[in-house]
Amino acid sequence: MFFLPEKLDHYVVEHSEQEPQLLQELTRETYQKILQPIMLSGPYQGRVLSMISKLVRPKIILELGTFTGYATLCLAEGLQIDGEIHTIDINEELHDFQRKYFDKSGFGEQIIQHTGNALDIIPSLDMSFDLVFIDADKPNYSNYFHLIINKLNPGGIILSDNVLWHGKVVEPLNDKDKSTKAVLDYNTLLKSDERVETVLLPIRDGLTISRKK
Ligand SMILES: C[S@@+](CC[C@H](N)C(=O)[O-])C[C@H]1O[C@@H](n2cnc3c(N)ncnc32)[C@H](O)[C@@H]1O
């Protein structure tokens, strides 16, 4: 979905960094072998994630929803030399695919994969984070926020993906549509929670930046 007129959207992409070769390969193989390849962050959002991570220079990153590892590798580009990224996905079948690309990237030793439900795994991570990327199941976005906020360092950043939910956030709400309701509630939570300051960016499907005060 284009929120900008298509021509302008192409202009924006053409005048931004190109995605690295390895991510092009990862994308090709994801489209060949994995269901729902549309879930990939993609080249433009990937460069945005990489840029934000390079600006933050995080020591520890947490990602919820690894999928085939596209965003993991973008975020890893900004890690401190001794930093690490913990990435969680519930789908164990993706593990070996992810690992193949992590090891090819040069960030392999800095990427720690966790397989299981993020709701169970986050409380077991005994560490605090500088940067968190929330990109797993929408109905749990608010639960993830509550699990993470006390583990986020002051000045730490939460990036939340798909917060415009294909534009459904401004359409009449269907009672059965749990995901849209969850995204609406989540956006209200980020705006009203006094522990963070929040800006929603109309990038791709909507990307919110929240900074812990
Ligand atoms: C949109 S994809 C992530 C895309 C990835 N971050 C990227 O940019 O390429 C969402 C992922 O969240 C995972 N997921 C869904 N529910 C989850 C849960 N409760 N805990 C952990 N992962 C979950 C799915 O298996 C899927 O791979």
Side-chain angles (χ1 to χ4, degrees):
M1 168 162 195
F2 294 96
F3 288 110
L4 281 177
E6 203 170 332
K7 261 170 86 175
L8 207 46
D9 195 276
H10 285 146
Y11 184 86
V12 168
V13 172
E14 275 166 19
H15 291 80
S16 299
E17 284 295 308
Q18 291 249 309
E19 70 179 345
Q21 176 80 29
L22 183 68
L23 293 179
Q24 292 177 21
E25 280 172 38
L26 181 156
T27 299
R28 235 185 339 268
E29 195 173 345
T30 301
Y31 272 83
Q32 284 163 355
K33 300 188 178 161
I34 310 289
L35 288 175
Q36 291 188 277
I38 194 75
M39 292 205 289
L40 284 167
S41 271
Y44 176 68
Q45 179 164 307
R47 289 308 87 204
V48 173
L49 295 174
S50 161
M51 178 66 84
I52 293 171
S53 186
K54 285 170 183 163
L55 292 169
V56 174
R57 296 297 291 157
K59 176 113 178 176
I60 306 193
I61 304 176
L62 173 66
E63 178 186 32
L64 310 182
T66 321
F67 191 48
T68 51
Y70 191 102
T72 321
L73 290 173
C74 297
L75 293 166
E77 290 174 31
L79 275 173
Q80 292 180 26
I81 197 98
D82 57 347
E84 55 191 36
I85 175 163
H86 292 258
T87 183
I88 306 175
D89 204 289
I90 202 164
N91 184 352
E92 64 188 50
E93 289 174 10
L94 297 170
H95 182 278
D96 294 351
F97 185 108
Q98 297 159 0
R99 181 43 60 191
K100 180 172 99 177
Y101 282 93
F102 294 163
D103 286 344
K104 278 187 181 182
S105 71
F107 296 112
E109 291 186 3
Q110 291 173 279
I111 301 175
I112 298 108
Q113 293 159 278
H114 301 267
T115 301
N117 191 331
L119 291 174
D120 301 327
I121 291 174
I122 297 165
S124 74
L125 298 175
D126 187 16
M127 60 191 74
S128 56
F129 306 106
D130 303 303
L131 178 60
V132 178
F133 181 44
I134 303 184
D135 194 16
D137 50 325
K138 309 311 149 197
N140 276 313
Y141 267 33
S142 295
N143 294 328
Y144 294 140
F145 177 87
H146 292 302
L147 286 175
I148 282 159
I149 191 67
N150 290 329
K151 290 174 177 275
L152 190 65
N153 291 322
I157 300 290
I158 301 174
L159 300 172
S160 310
D161 198 16
N162 307 108
V163 291
L164 295 177
W165 204 228
H166 322 296
K168 289 185 190 170
V169 289
V170 291
E171 299 301 329
L173 181 63
N174 175 340
D175 283 349
K176 291 186 188 139
D177 183 352
K178 301 276 181 257
S179 292
T180 303
K181 172 82 171 64
V183 173
L184 286 166
D185 289 348
Y186 182 64
N187 290 338
T188 303
L189 170 66
L190 289 183
K191 173 81 192 296
S192 60
D193 194 297
E194 304 231 319
R195 292 168 291 183
V196 290
E197 48 188 316
T198 285
V199 178
L200 195 165
L201 304 175
I203 288 173
R204 287 295 181 258
D205 196 23
L207 180 73
T208 298
I209 304 187
S210 306
R211 179 181 177 276
K212 188 167 174 183
K213 293 177 189 166

